Amino acid sequence: MDTAVGGGRRTRPHPPADRVRRLLWLGLLGAAVVALWLRMLASEPHLPLHLHDAGGGRLTLLAGSDAATLPAAGQRLQALVLPDGRRLAASPALLPHSPRWVADDAARQDLLALRSWLGQALRQPQVLAQFDGGLQLAVAPRPRGLGGLGALCWAVCALALALYLAAAVALLAQPGRAAQLYMGLAVAQCLNLLLIAAGSLPGLGVPAGLEQADLAWRLTLDLVTAAGLVHVLLLYPRRHPWSRPLAPLAWAVALSTLVWLLVGQQAGLWWWAQGVLLLAGLAAALVLRRRRGQPRHPLARLLQRLVLAATATLLLSSLALALAGDESRIPGPLAALGALAWTVFLASLLMLGPFLSRSRQVLREFALLAGVSTVAASLTLLFLAIFGLHPLAALGLALVVSLGVYLAARPWVLQQLAGPGPRNAERMFDSVYRAARALEQSPDEAVQQLGTLLREVFDPLEVARSQRSASRVRVAADGTTLVVPVPQLPGQPSGALVLRHAQQGRRLFTQADGLLCERLLEQLGRAVAYDRAVEHGRAEERARIAQDLHDDIGARLLTLMYKAPNEEIEEYIRHTLQDLKTLTRGLAAGNQRLSHAAAEWKADITQRLNAAGCSLHWSFSADRDITLTAVQWSGLTRVLRELVNNIITHAQASQVEISVHFDRGRLALQVSDDGIGQQPAAWAHGLGLGGVRKRVKLLGGQVGWEVRTPQGIRCSVQAPLSPGSGEPPPR
């Protein structure tokens, strides 16, 4: 528990300023790589022909970047012809599309051959574009420039940089083997996104060196990501007992599959690659599964569901692409969009993973929308391939289904990552008030009272005390732990409460939980301060009343005592003065220890019984000395005085036995005499005995009378004396 409070790491953490500098350097390095990549893409030549898939295998020319292509805008492209006469018939394969996501082996080879042909075309001074109606345009290859890269290229590169920065933050925040592996697989996907950006450029042609190498690079990065994901989840959020043999096995399977596919150019390359990725996703989900006898881990549970979501969308995308094939009725951009949507979804999940308890609403919504977009693109391909719908009809139907998926998934995602549900305001106020009263009356029970309040709010699996101090509320251990500082009370040691696994392990602690807890502590402090102010006012008022009684009523009684006509009245007034002195001393003192109160009770009762000719047998014991509130002291004092008054007035007793015992928070008081009293059940309870019952009831106790053998009456009082039990209920 102390590790959670103290922020212990497996490696020595760097100071915050050092972390900021390291993050700045890493961020500059990532930005420099992305900038150089964009600069390289902008300088590569291309054919400025912006083509559109009009369906049925037809490509039409959109408004190009060259003024020379304007006469052919809207015309169908028939072929491209090199200066040496070699001719390439126009087909949807000319549109931006990676061979990595082509399921058919023959179609993939044709695409690679087409890319090789375009690479040769870009090295020519000009290429002849032939359109319907005999229109021919000479198009010269030229660099795109930064302005010609297209919005999609910039957006994908920005996503790659964001993923890289998220990985850098995770690595610097909690360095270790798991963070290093996460950094590695994040960098792999960043490179994958940069390759996607290169393949999404407008116009014809891809950068030199990527015509044939794009397939190998993207296949390598995907398999490295798959093995890295399994390895990370073997170590995080909890180490798997079989991590040592399973991690090398995952890497061996991925790398051997990569070599086997690339070197041998195996048939069904795409199927083998997708199969390995799907198996890696299932393996990662199994790694996160809770084993028998293991406590529930909310982060592992949530990560498992995210991995299953990524695997399910990959399966859906693969199925859609496999069924779509290279049929002419399916527009090429839709197939590329499905692969892009899933890659963006995977990148968003990788960014979200280390920051589940700290992520903002925007990042969660982005990941959810990326997943829904993957579903929409995949369903569109399925509807086109299976039902042969019009592209617009298939897209509309897919959007309707995806919207339903979004509306169903969004509440679950928010529930997993949101704070506690709305609580009844009256119940919350009652919990804070009770905790404040308990903290004020019994500071030594501050930890227990605060723990009870936090249990009611967050319902954690575990609440433990740590001796390490915490300056503020914070979420630790990636959302599985909430550290709450114990309120600083006079004479109490500092420390913190460590809460683990909110809602019985069903969700993570989030920043919203930390803010709520800070507000609870703030309101608790205000309630304690307010209660102290009220109690201070009560004490001052009691002291004022005691002073007035002593100065006014006491002086008048003293004058009457000196002018008493006989000794009997003088003695009566003397006892009245003694009672007034006891009352005013108790009011002025306010709270006092039980042992001190018992000594005063014994002295007062001894004096009164001696004057009445009775002997007192006194017994007092307590397992601990507690502080009585003014209400408790006043109630017990008046109960004892009334019981002794009854004995003196009615019992004609010669001996009185009084025992006061306090044990485990309860006071047992017995007053016995050897007088002539009989049949207490038949007594008329007037102001005296009725007052005794009322005062004991206000203390939360019970009182009863019984006949004592051989004679006399015994009165028994049982009352709880926990701190604050004698306070009147709040109005």
Side-chain angles (χ1 to χ4, degrees):
M1 294 303 172
D2 290 345
T3 301
V5 177
R9 309 287 190 203
R10 282 171 293 185
T11 59
R12 185 177 180 181
H14 300 285
D18 191 18
R19 290 186 192 174
V20 172
R21 286 195 298 269
R22 289 171 179 263
L23 180 60
L24 179 61
W25 282 111
L26 289 175
L28 291 176
L29 176 62
V33 171
V34 173
L36 290 175
W37 182 256
L38 290 172
R39 183 65 181 173
M40 186 272 292
L41 296 181
S43 62
E44 286 292 318
H46 80 299
L47 294 176
L49 296 174
H50 298 262
L51 302 176
H52 169 66
D53 190 348
R58 298 179 303 167
L59 295 180
T60 58
L61 181 66
L62 299 175
S65 57
D66 278 357
T69 62
L70 292 178
Q75 299 294 320
R76 177 189 175 187
L77 178 66
Q78 290 185 346
L80 296 175
V81 182
L82 295 180
D84 60 5
R86 285 181 294 172
R87 186 174 185 273
L88 176 67
S91 69
L94 286 172
L95 297 175
H97 193 46
S98 172
R100 164 68 183 87
W101 286 84
V102 177
D104 185 72
D105 292 334
R108 187 184 314 106
Q109 293 300 325
D110 292 341
L111 179 58
L112 291 174
L114 183 146
R115 286 188 164 212
S116 178
W117 192 94
L118 284 177
Q120 298 177 20
L122 295 179
R123 291 188 286 271
Q124 305 297 324
Q126 65 179 16
V127 177
L128 187 65
Q130 298 179 347
F131 296 91
D132 285 346
L135 179 62
Q136 296 184 359
L137 294 177
V139 182
R142 67 178 184 83
R144 290 183 175 85
L146 291 176
L149 295 180
L152 182 59
C153 176
W154 285 97
V156 174
C157 288
L159 178 61
L161 181 59
L163 176 57
Y164 170 80
L165 292 177
V169 170
L171 178 62
L172 293 178
Q174 190 171 355
R177 178 64 61 83
Q180 293 170 359
L181 288 170
Y182 168 74
M183 184 70 178
L185 68 91
V187 169
Q189 280 306 301
C190 290
L191 296 177
N192 201 0
L193 288 170
L194 293 181
L195 291 175
I196 291 177
S200 65
L201 299 174
L204 298 182
V206 295
L210 293 182
E211 299 112 346
Q212 305 296 319
D214 178 75
L215 173 63
W217 275 110
R218 295 187 60 178
L219 192 61
T220 301
L221 295 173
D222 284 344
L223 291 177
V224 166
T225 301
L229 179 64
V230 175
H231 196 169
V232 167
L233 296 179
L234 284 170
L235 304 177
Y236 176 86
R238 53 190 173 193
R239 190 180 187 91
H240 196 280
W242 292 356
S243 59
R244 291 187 180 276
L246 290 181
L249 178 62
W251 285 104
V253 171
L255 296 179
S256 60
T257 302
L258 177 64
V259 173
W260 181 63
L261 292 177
L262 294 182
V263 175
Q265 289 293 320
Q266 302 297 325
L269 179 147
W270 183 82
W271 292 96
W272 283 105
Q274 297 303 102
V276 172
L277 293 181
L278 291 172
L279 287 177
L282 294 177
L286 289 176
V287 164
L288 294 170
R289 184 176 60 88
R290 183 176 65 163
R291 292 174 294 280
R292 181 176 300 179
Q294 190 178 50
R296 179 182 293 173
H297 197 294
L299 182 56
R301 179 172 176 264
L302 184 54
L303 287 175
Q304 182 188 46
R305 296 188 177 187
L306 294 179
V307 168
L308 288 176
T311 305
T313 53
L314 176 62
L315 177 61
L316 182 62
S317 300
S318 302
L319 180 62
L321 288 173
L323 292 178
D326 59 344
E327 298 183 25
S328 60
R329 65 174 180 271
I330 297 178
L334 282 179
L337 180 61
L340 174 62
W342 184 83
T343 306
V344 171
F345 180 46
L346 177 61
S348 66
L349 292 182
L350 289 177
M351 281 194 297
L352 184 63
F355 310 101
L356 286 171
S357 61
R358 301 175 178 85
S359 61
R360 300 296 182 184
Q361 185 70 16
V362 175
L363 185 55
R364 296 197 290 263
E365 291 286 356
F366 175 71
L368 186 58
L369 289 175
V372 172
S373 300
T374 306
V375 173
S378 302
L379 289 178
T380 302
L381 290 176
L382 287 176
F383 293 151
L384 287 172
I386 297 176
F387 303 110
L389 299 177
H390 187 275
L392 291 179
L395 180 60
L397 183 58
L399 289 177
V400 170
V401 176
S402 301
L403 180 61
V405 173
Y406 173 80
L407 295 176
R410 187 174 185 273
W412 177 84
V413 173
L414 296 181
Q415 180 183 4
Q416 295 295 313
L417 300 177
R423 286 169 50 87
N424 181 274
E426 182 178 354
R427 182 182 173 191
M428 179 74 77
F429 173 79
D430 180 67
S431 299
V432 174
Y433 177 80
R434 284 188 287 105
R437 293 292 300 146
L439 287 176
E440 170 65 20
Q441 298 297 332
S442 183
D444 56 336
E445 296 181 0
V447 178
Q448 294 84 340
Q449 295 299 330
L450 182 59
T452 300
L453 175 62
L454 295 177
R455 283 185 185 276
E456 293 181 7
V457 176
F458 298 110
D459 190 23
L461 271 177
E462 179 185 358
V463 178
R465 174 72 185 274
S466 174
Q467 299 302 323
R468 290 196 179 187
S469 60
S471 59
R472 58 182 178 85
V473 178
R474 66 183 181 87
V475 178
D478 298 312
T480 61
T481 302
L482 184 68
V483 181
V484 182
V486 174
Q488 295 295 315
L489 296 175
Q492 295 300 313
S494 60
L497 286 179
V498 181
L499 284 68
R500 290 188 176 274
H501 308 322
Q503 291 186 359
Q504 297 297 306
R506 290 188 293 272
R507 71 170 184 85
L508 298 174
F509 287 109
T510 64
Q511 287 183 329
D513 294 324
L515 292 176
L516 175 61
C517 196
E518 287 180 353
R519 291 175 182 174
L520 283 177
L521 291 178
E522 180 182 354
Q523 294 300 322
L524 192 61
R526 290 179 179 177
V528 170
Y530 174 78
D531 188 72
R532 287 178 176 175
V534 170
E535 185 60 32
H536 180 70
R538 288 176 179 173
E540 288 186 344
E541 185 65 15
R542 287 194 299 266
R544 186 189 64 81
I545 294 174
Q547 189 67 41
D548 291 345
L549 288 174
H550 179 273
D551 295 344
D552 296 339
I553 306 301
R556 292 178 184 273
L557 288 175
L558 186 60
T559 301
L560 288 175
M561 185 182 69
Y562 288 138
K563 295 182 179 181
N566 53 58
E567 293 183 358
E568 182 179 356
I569 294 178
E570 180 182 351
E571 188 65 22
Y572 181 81
I573 295 176
R574 191 183 304 278
H575 284 296
T576 304
L577 277 171
Q578 183 65 29
D579 292 343
L580 180 62
K581 180 180 179 181
T582 302
L583 175 62
T584 55
R585 185 168 63 249
L587 287 175
N591 298 346
Q592 57 180 301
R593 310 299 295 179
L594 175 60
S595 58
H596 297 169
E600 290 187 356
W601 294 336
K602 180 182 179 182
D604 178 61
I605 294 172
T606 300
Q607 182 181 6
R608 298 177 65 195
L609 290 178
N610 288 340
C614 295
S615 61
L616 173 65
H617 298 276
W618 176 268
S619 174
F620 171 77
S621 65
D623 61 346
R624 61 189 177 102
D625 197 8
I626 66 169
T627 300
L628 297 177
T629 66
V631 174
Q632 292 170 338
W633 175 87
S634 176
L636 292 173
T637 300
R638 293 176 182 274
V639 165
L640 274 171
R641 181 172 296 155
E642 185 60 35
L643 292 176
V644 172
N645 284 343
N646 285 337
I647 293 174
I648 294 174
T649 305
H650 304 291
Q652 301 178 18
S654 61
Q655 293 186 0
V656 176
E657 296 179 6
I658 299 178
S659 64
V660 180
H661 298 287
F662 177 75
D663 184 42
R664 298 179 184 178
R666 294 192 66 85
L667 181 73
L669 171 65
Q670 283 191 353
V671 179
S672 306
D673 65 81
D674 59 352
I676 62 174
Q678 294 180 356
Q679 298 180 352
W683 293 351
H685 290 250
L687 292 177
L689 297 183
V692 171
R693 288 186 179 276
K694 181 179 180 181
R695 295 183 188 282
V696 174
K697 184 177 180 181
L698 287 176
L699 293 174
Q702 301 86 31
V703 61
W705 287 264
E706 61 182 354
V707 177
R708 182 188 180 199
T709 303
Q711 65 179 24
I713 297 296
R714 177 185 295 112
C715 177
S716 299
V717 176
Q718 298 284 338
L721 288 187
S722 57
S725 62
E727 293 291 337
R731 297 181 180 178

